[in-house]
Amino acid sequence: MRLVSDPVYGEVDLTATAAELTCLASAVAEGDGFISSASASALDCNTLAGIEVRKAPGSGVRISLDVQRQALVISGDPVARAVLAENLHAMATAEDGGHLHIDYFPEHPYLVEGSLPLVVNSPHGGMPIR
């Protein structure tokens, strides 16, 4: 898995295999886990060490950055985490390319205000060919 924080656009870019995305989707659904980034390197301050998933009270999912640990943190209630988990699983099992933008907007169905934007790249590469 490759996990890079982009300070220019203020988003995190996630590239992973289908198996890694499936593992992440399971951790998000369960509300517990840490998925390590194999590409983590002390030489690149924008490369993150991994993704931590936590249960949290309230409604919605918050995606944030733990700067001290260089980790992306996904926290939230079970219902909202289930929706995000379904989206991640769909990206893992889709047979075409593309990417998923997970960005907050007013009245978002599961993200809370202040969530960091996340771009999840398909394990099959760029945009689908039609």
Side-chain angles (χ1 to χ4, degrees):
M1 174 171 38
R2 183 170 179 270
L3 193 60
V4 179
S5 175
D6 186 335
V8 174
Y9 294 104
E11 64 188 16
V12 173
D13 188 79
L14 168 63
T15 303
T17 65
E20 290 168 331
L21 284 178
T22 299
C23 182
L24 176 58
S26 294
V28 169
E30 292 173 19
D32 186 41
F34 185 85
I35 292 85
S36 181
S37 172
S39 65
S41 167
L43 300 175
D44 182 355
C45 64
N46 295 327
T47 301
L48 303 178
I51 302 173
E52 180 178 1
V53 181
R54 303 176 186 159
K55 295 175 185 168
S59 62
V61 167
R62 176 174 301 280
I63 300 173
S64 59
L65 188 59
D66 182 333
V67 178
Q68 184 176 3
R69 293 179 49 227
Q70 284 299 98
L72 188 70
V73 178
I74 298 173
S75 59
D77 71 273
V79 173
R81 286 193 333 269
V83 176
L84 175 57
E86 286 176 26
N87 290 338
L88 293 168
H89 189 262
M91 183 57 75
T93 58
E95 295 186 9
D96 56 1
H99 54 271
L100 171 65
H101 284 267
I102 303 171
D103 296 302
Y104 172 79
F105 55 84
E107 299 182 31
H108 193 282
Y110 64 87
L111 285 180
V112 298
E113 186 174 3
S115 287
L116 194 64
L118 176 64
V119 177
V120 181
N121 296 293
S122 169
H124 302 289
M127 295 306 290
I129 298 172
R130 301 213 185 240

